[in-house]
Amino acid sequence: MRRTALLASAALLTGLLPLASAGAAAGADDPAPVPVDTFEGEVPFANPPADGIFPWGSDTDDPPQLALAARSDAPEGAKVLTGSYDISGYGGFTHDFASAQPAHDWSAHKGIRFWWDGQNNAKKIAFEIKDGGANGEASELWTTSFTDDFTGWKQIEIPFTDFTYRTDYQPVGGIDQVLGLTQMWGYAVTLPVGVKGQFAMDDVELYGKADQSLRASVTTDSAVYPVKEGGTAAVKISVATTGAAPIDEPVTVAYESAGGTAESGKDYTPVKGEITFPAGTASGTSRTIQVAALKDKSAESAETIPLKLTVTGAKAPAETPQVVIDAHGLPYLDPKLPVRKRVADLVSRMSLEEKAGQMTQAERGALTAQGDIATYDLGSLLSGGGSTPTPNTAAAWAKMIDSFQLRAQATRFQIPLIYGVDAVHGHNNLVGSTIMPHNIGIGATRDPGLAQKTGAVTAAEVRATGIPWDFAPCLCVTRDERWGRSYESFGEDPALVKSMETIIQGLQGAANGKDLKDDDKVLATAKHFVGDGGTEYGSSTTGSYTIDQGVTKVTRQQLETIHLSPYQTAVDRGIGSVMPSYSSLDILGDGQGPVKMHARADMINGVLKDRMGFDGFVISDWAAIDQIPGDYASDVRTSINAGLDMIMVPYAYKDFRTTLIDEVKAGRVSQKRVDDAVSRILTQKFELGLFEKPYADTTGASRIGSPAHRAVARQAAAESQVLLKNAGGVLPLRKSQKVYVAGSNADDIGNQTGGWTVTWQGSSGPITDGTTILEGMRRAGGDVTYSKDASAPTGGYDVGVVVVGETPYAEGVGDVGNGNDLELTAADKAAVDKVCGAMKCVVLTVSGRPQLVGDRLGSIDALVASWLPGTEGDGVADVLYGKRAFTGQLPVTWPKSESQLPINVGDTSYDPQFPYGWGLTTLTKVPAGGAATLKALAFVAEAADRTGASEVGRAAVTKARLLVQQKLASAITPATAKPFADADHLLLTGRYAAAVAKLREAYLAG
């Protein structure tokens, strides 16, 4: 839920009796105060679209605990709203208007006021109101704040003239950026961060009489006007009124070019004058002021010309507009020069403050104002999971990011922002984008070419919305499926992960970076360096997490062979950025114990940059430096000195930049380290072509969610399906069969796409465009009857398909033991039991990791691991109905019980339900001949090894695997499972003869 501000229903508001104000004396003609909420219980605790009060926060720990409590000292009535909080990210509460009721008209009043029980903590408390739009989620947000610097009850009065337009969490471009007050949807309070506290509030009401300066506002069409040397900027000044009525009284706007870094008369022709909008002027009327930049022969950085506006009779613009004469003639601006020379020239000109800004990344929703981009020389912004524009469309994303890039043009060197998102399986924050299977499904395809195609589709859709940087792919090697991030991994075998790194070329193009300027490529990020997939169960100290962000305990050899090797591949493929892990690394025998990865200079500087030769830049994870032991200054210097180049400080961008500057001035971070970091960042900005084209190139926007892109996702969904059991050849289905479909995940696109879809955690239901598995089966021409809970009669059907599994989660929220396990829900178990007890049945598990179905395996005829297939349920239907063959293989070992975890290929003791690499096929003839055929295939594989004929070698191993699987299908034992799994690892490492030898071993043991 957006941190928004909504109100009570119109019927309730008008039904309440006016209350006497305890504030300043009212004027004789002031309207009576109108109550909004007296907190006596007339407004319930509820969520939109219903009328009510609700808390919110950045994670599960941050929403405040709210209650309506009786207080003898209540300023009004008997009860007040109370709450306690301990917020690390952001948190607060909202009073929402029921969206089914009309909005409120507050335009007759001067402002809003309420009683606050002061704690004297000197913290600022943000208060916001919502104006206009069709409903609360499509309205403009206007904000102000007050300081809790008092003790006991105090009435806080806020004139509406004190509210300023928020530049984030808005309908893109706003509705009219005028506080109209005729359609109000409520209010919200944002509580202080970093202090454990409590609050009490009472009697929110409207007070006073509105004046002309509130009803009329003067606006400009932009805050920044870049202009080339010798060009002319046109600044449009408009007057607008509440309800779009003509103005009652004249409005004058005196203007003058004054201040700034440009020199009047030398760099521009000064302007001064006055514009008058006479009484009766229609709302929306505009006038234009022209500012002419002069031409000289000198090379210069950008120069600013503030246009001071003095408004009489209306509210002035929130910001002073600035004309910016573009930088020109400097070497770093010359695209013909080599990138390294451009970087060196620019770095040599920058101040420490500008360099520190380049090393700072803020969450776009945390900006105090868009002007902070220039004020603090910010180098980067990001959208965290679910941080989206309103409306969440491709055009809105592009417009939002262009507005941020425009602000960067007001800096001295006009260094463009690099904007980043977690597009981890398609442009997953954008509604209507093409959502791919999560990485675990891509790993199941064993198809490097397809992995590259999925990356290319993702890059094209991301770049078409103006975003040049993707925090993907995750190169974690998942070693314990109790981990809530398991599905972000391609698999448990580093060889499999390395084979799927073709996705980097899909995202970035050529390894030398020459394609990064293209409108369908983005900078990729290898994450999370290093060992995030190997954390020990129970080692996490983050909230209620059990394994995510915990400690990875490994020998030096295990670190090298399992967790580090995928990063060398990424570096060789030209990866542009790397993100360290939240987790700690404990290398047994090195004497350091567990050390947070963000603090490990030996790994980031020593291994990644020096040994591996990584020449991109290192970006921290979300507020991750806060987890380094020590005070904030220590966190900053430790992380930067460890080799981090840019720090993701979503809400602390001002503090970080100031602290970094202080650390450099004190000599605790060297200027050389800063210059290296900034050079790495600028190199990628130049490679991306951002200096020449900072704004969104939306020529590819029509391809977002296009049939061609969805065809790639459909293929990936089909190839990711792993057929674990197929007794009696129940699959593929025939269109002539009557099919009974049941289960919680058959018709739920939210469950099918999983976490990191539209929002960080994802959610069930119709959250985006696509085709569910049920819809895909119907579109395939199947004779299908659906009963989600299997309550419909089961007689008369040829086969049942039960689609079960998990609901969405992300990161440690999904850890087993944190409210999760690997068991099916009671409802899913009941559906499986009923359907499989009545007919032949196929069970599909839609999940981010293996599900424990061993106790029901005997009653299930066919079992399919569907993973999280994305938006294209047609792909699942393609293999169910035989349009495509089942070809997927297990990217992780499928355990018999949770007590077996962790269990992985190569373990000395290995007794799984299904081994790593397992995957039956359909529509493919399995080789006959048994042991004799295996012997012949061994000769072929040996020859392939000698001659380097990899295609021949892979084909030989694949034939041998199918033959062995046919024999072992009903009798997997430790003696057969271990060599079978080992064979798949050997295949991925190009040792074909050894792989066939292992398969022969499994065959003979079966």
Side-chain angles (χ1 to χ4, degrees):
M1 177 53 59
R2 289 182 358 177
R3 291 172 285 162
T4 55
L6 311 177
L7 248 201
S9 73
L12 173 63
L13 183 63
T14 55
L16 290 171
L17 293 175
L19 302 177
S21 170
D29 58 348
D30 281 359
V34 174
V36 174
D37 194 357
T38 62
F39 303 114
E40 297 301 304
E42 75 276 24
V43 177
F45 292 107
N47 284 311
D51 168 34
I53 304 166
F54 62 93
W56 39 260
S58 55
D59 59 37
T60 55
D61 298 327
D62 282 351
Q65 303 299 309
L66 302 180
L68 296 177
R71 287 267 294 258
S72 59
D73 62 345
E76 184 284 329
K79 294 179 180 178
V80 301
L81 178 68
T82 65
S84 59
Y85 58 89
D86 186 3
I87 301 167
S88 58
Y90 62 80
F93 62 92
T94 291
H95 179 169
D96 255 12
F97 229 17
S99 60
Q101 298 293 327
H104 290 203
D105 185 346
W106 293 359
S107 62
H109 294 274
K110 179 179 181 180
I112 189 167
R113 64 189 179 195
F114 50 87
W115 288 90
W116 190 264
D117 186 15
Q119 305 299 306
N120 200 24
N121 56 23
K123 295 288 185 178
K124 281 191 178 297
I125 297 165
F127 188 89
E128 71 183 19
I129 56 178
K130 299 193 71 176
D131 174 64
N135 55 58
E137 288 303 294
S139 61
E140 292 183 342
L141 306 186
W142 292 75
T143 187
T144 187
S145 65
F146 64 95
T147 303
D148 187 339
D149 56 1
F150 53 93
T151 302
W153 289 108
K154 178 180 178 180
Q155 191 173 49
I156 308 296
E157 288 194 342
I158 306 175
F160 290 129
T161 50
D162 284 0
F163 286 90
T164 58
Y165 176 78
R166 283 189 66 167
T167 56
D168 56 352
Y169 288 95
Q170 299 282 20
V172 172
I175 297 165
D176 55 14
Q177 298 190 29
V178 174
L179 183 55
L181 296 171
T182 56
Q183 285 188 295
M184 301 304 295
W185 294 99
Y187 67 90
V189 174
T190 302
L191 294 163
V193 175
V195 56
K196 193 171 183 178
Q198 56 196 22
F199 75 91
M201 183 181 190
D202 200 13
D203 191 21
V204 182
E205 65 180 14
L206 309 176
Y207 75 96
K209 180 183 178 182
D211 56 28
Q212 161 80 10
S213 65
L214 177 62
R215 291 196 303 272
S217 297
V218 168
T219 61
T220 60
D221 58 328
S222 181
V224 179
Y225 298 84
V227 61
K228 294 188 181 302
E229 185 189 29
T232 300
V235 180
K236 189 164 75 172
I237 309 290
S238 303
V239 64
T241 63
T242 297
I247 56 176
D248 300 335
E249 304 165 16
V251 172
T252 60
V253 182
Y255 60 88
E256 181 180 6
S257 53
T261 57
E263 186 178 335
S264 177
K266 177 179 178 293
D267 297 312
Y268 70 96
T269 302
V271 295
K272 184 176 183 179
E274 186 175 274
I275 294 171
T276 299
F277 296 95
T281 298
S283 178
T285 300
S286 300
R287 300 283 186 270
T288 300
I289 301 168
Q290 293 191 328
V291 181
L294 302 175
K295 219 168 189 182
D296 59 31
K297 296 182 179 180
S298 59
E300 294 175 304
S301 57
E303 296 171 310
T304 58
I305 310 165
L307 190 62
K308 183 181 177 183
L309 304 179
T310 304
V311 178
T312 304
K315 187 177 180 182
E319 291 184 74
T320 297
Q322 286 191 90
V323 175
V324 180
I325 303 173
D326 290 340
H328 53 276
L330 300 172
Y332 79 88
L333 295 169
D334 184 356
K336 296 178 182 178
L337 287 177
V339 166
R340 59 181 178 78
K341 288 190 176 181
R342 298 179 74 183
V343 170
D345 176 67
L346 180 51
V347 171
S348 72
R349 299 175 187 278
M350 295 169 68
S351 68
L352 172 59
E353 289 73 18
E354 288 164 329
K355 292 172 183 176
Q358 285 300 302
M359 297 170 68
T360 307
Q361 183 184 61
E363 153 64 35
R364 63 117 203 170
L367 290 176
T368 306
Q370 281 200 12
D372 282 359
I373 292 169
T375 301
Y376 298 98
D377 300 292
L378 296 181
S380 181
L381 294 179
L382 83 150
S383 279
S387 177
T388 64
T390 304
N392 188 354
T393 63
W397 276 92
K399 190 171 182 179
M400 175 185 73
I401 289 163
D402 281 356
S403 72
F404 294 141
Q405 290 288 18
L406 179 63
R407 296 293 184 146
Q409 294 299 299
T411 59
R412 190 161 65 116
F413 297 113
Q414 298 181 302
I415 303 173
L417 294 165
I418 181 168
Y419 199 100
V421 292
D422 286 278
V424 297
H425 63 139
H427 194 358
N428 44 258
N429 282 299
L430 172 64
V431 170
S433 66
T434 307
I435 305 298
M436 301 292 169
H438 270 293
N439 281 357
I440 197 165
I442 301 298
T445 70
R446 295 300 200 281
D447 188 339
L450 180 58
Q452 182 166 338
K453 287 180 182 178
T454 66
V457 168
T458 298
E461 298 199 359
V462 169
R463 194 69 181 256
T465 58
I467 301 166
W469 184 16
D470 185 3
F471 304 133
C474 186
L475 302 184
C476 49
V477 182
T478 179
R479 305 294 284 179
D480 189 332
E481 278 59 65
R482 290 172 291 189
W483 187 35
R485 301 192 84 140
S486 294
Y487 63 75
E488 293 189 55
S489 172
F490 292 115
E492 70 186 31
D493 182 356
L496 175 57
V497 174
K498 291 163 71 173
S499 73
M500 293 296 109
E501 291 187 52
T502 49
I503 196 172
I504 294 171
Q505 264 55 66
L507 293 165
Q508 291 195 167
N512 64 5
K514 70 180 180 63
D515 300 328
L516 284 173
K517 292 183 175 66
D518 294 352
D519 66 359
D520 62 351
K521 290 292 177 278
V522 294
L523 193 74
T525 308
K527 65 182 189 183
H528 302 90
F529 186 82
V530 60
D532 52 339
T535 49
E536 193 173 73
Y537 189 80
S539 66
S540 182
T541 56
T542 300
S544 56
Y545 296 3
T546 58
I547 187 169
D548 189 37
Q549 303 185 22
V551 180
T552 299
K553 291 184 180 179
V554 286
T555 64
R556 177 68 66 174
Q557 183 181 11
Q558 289 170 329
L559 175 65
E560 294 284 346
T561 57
I562 297 173
H563 299 290
L564 268 176
S565 60
Y567 287 92
Q568 184 64 67
T569 302
V571 171
D572 294 342
R573 287 185 172 275
I575 195 81
S577 63
V578 170
M579 180 184 291
S581 176
Y582 279 116
S583 56
S584 299
L585 179 61
D586 185 356
I587 304 174
L588 301 178
D590 75 350
Q592 294 190 64
V595 178
K596 282 287 181 183
M597 272 307 309
H598 281 71
R600 289 211 69 136
D602 60 331
M603 300 304 300
I604 299 170
N605 283 329
V607 174
L608 178 64
K609 290 183 173 180
D610 294 343
R611 193 185 86 190
M612 292 185 176
F614 173 62
D615 59 4
F617 69 93
V618 179
I619 170 72
S620 88
D621 209 333
W622 180 281
I625 68 167
D626 295 349
Q627 296 188 11
I628 300 173
D631 60 20
Y632 194 66
S634 172
D635 295 345
V636 170
R637 67 174 171 269
T638 298
S639 58
I640 298 298
N641 287 334
L644 273 78
D645 303 306
M646 182 185 289
I647 308 297
M648 190 186 295
V649 277
Y651 305 99
Y653 60 96
K654 297 175 187 177
D655 289 343
F656 168 76
R657 179 177 176 273
T658 299
T659 303
L660 176 56
I661 292 167
D662 290 344
E663 290 298 297
V664 175
K665 288 180 176 178
R668 292 184 287 267
V669 174
S670 71
Q671 184 68 59
K672 181 180 179 183
R673 172 76 271 270
V674 168
D675 286 352
D676 173 59
V678 174
S679 296
R680 289 169 175 270
I681 294 163
L682 293 177
T683 295
Q684 299 304 325
K685 289 186 177 185
F686 280 116
E687 294 282 5
L688 285 161
L690 295 178
F691 281 81
E692 287 71 49
K693 294 175 66 175
Y695 301 112
D697 181 345
T698 59
T699 53
S702 62
R703 293 185 290 163
I704 295 173
S706 66
H709 284 185
R710 290 186 184 275
V712 173
R714 180 174 182 167
Q715 180 185 352
E719 291 191 25
S720 71
Q721 303 299 294
V722 179
L723 182 57
L724 299 172
K725 180 182 178 181
N726 193 25
V730 67
L731 287 175
L733 303 174
R734 298 184 301 278
K735 293 179 184 178
S736 60
Q737 290 177 308
K738 291 188 67 177
V739 182
Y740 185 102
V741 178
S744 60
N745 287 347
D747 194 32
D748 193 309
I749 202 136
N751 291 354
Q752 188 176 301
T753 50
W756 288 109
T757 308
V758 183
T759 58
W760 173 42
Q761 290 294 316
S763 58
S764 301
I767 60 173
T768 191
D769 302 333
T771 305
T772 66
I773 293 171
L774 174 67
E775 290 168 341
M777 294 176 70
R778 286 175 170 158
R779 284 158 55 126
D783 182 357
V784 171
T785 298
Y786 174 58
S787 175
K788 181 176 180 178
D789 60 359
S791 59
T794 56
Y797 293 93
D798 298 308
V799 64
V801 175
V802 192
V803 189
V804 295
E806 297 182 311
T807 54
Y809 55 80
E811 300 191 38
V813 176
D815 285 353
V816 167
N818 187 19
N820 304 281
D821 56 40
L822 301 181
E823 298 280 348
L824 300 180
T825 65
D828 278 349
K829 289 178 180 178
V832 169
D833 292 344
K834 184 171 183 182
V835 175
C836 293
M839 64 192 84
K840 288 182 179 179
C841 74
V842 179
V843 172
L844 280 67
T845 61
V846 172
S847 60
R849 52 198 168 189
Q851 302 292 283
L852 301 174
V853 295
D855 56 342
R856 286 171 167 75
L857 196 54
S859 64
I860 296 171
D861 296 289
L863 178 64
V864 179
S866 286
W867 311 113
L868 298 168
T871 50
E872 308 313 300
D874 286 326
V876 181
D878 286 342
V879 292
L880 289 178
Y881 277 97
K883 185 176 181 179
R884 291 179 181 269
F886 275 95
T887 56
Q889 295 175 246
L890 283 181
V892 294
T893 300
W894 198 281
K896 290 180 176 178
S897 68
E898 193 176 308
S899 64
Q900 285 187 310
L901 297 173
I903 181 172
N904 294 289
V905 59
D907 288 354
T908 304
S909 177
Y910 192 70
D911 183 22
Q913 190 86 67
F914 299 103
Y916 168 77
W918 186 264
L920 304 174
T921 191
T922 53
L923 310 180
T924 302
K925 187 175 180 181
V926 176
T933 299
L934 283 174
K935 187 174 182 180
L937 289 170
F939 286 121
V940 173
E942 287 169 4
D945 280 350
R946 288 195 305 272
T947 60
S950 58
E951 191 172 331
V952 172
R954 284 195 299 271
V957 177
T958 298
K959 288 180 179 179
R961 182 176 65 82
L962 295 178
L963 192 158
V964 173
Q965 276 186 158
Q966 185 179 59
K967 181 180 181 183
L968 302 184
S970 58
I972 299 172
T973 66
T976 59
K978 181 171 173 52
F980 184 93
D982 290 344
D984 199 54
H985 171 73
L986 291 165
L987 167 63
L988 287 163
T989 55
R991 290 174 284 176
Y992 308 119
V996 173
K998 283 291 182 183
L999 289 168
R1000 290 179 70 190
E1001 180 184 335
Y1003 183 87
L1004 295 173

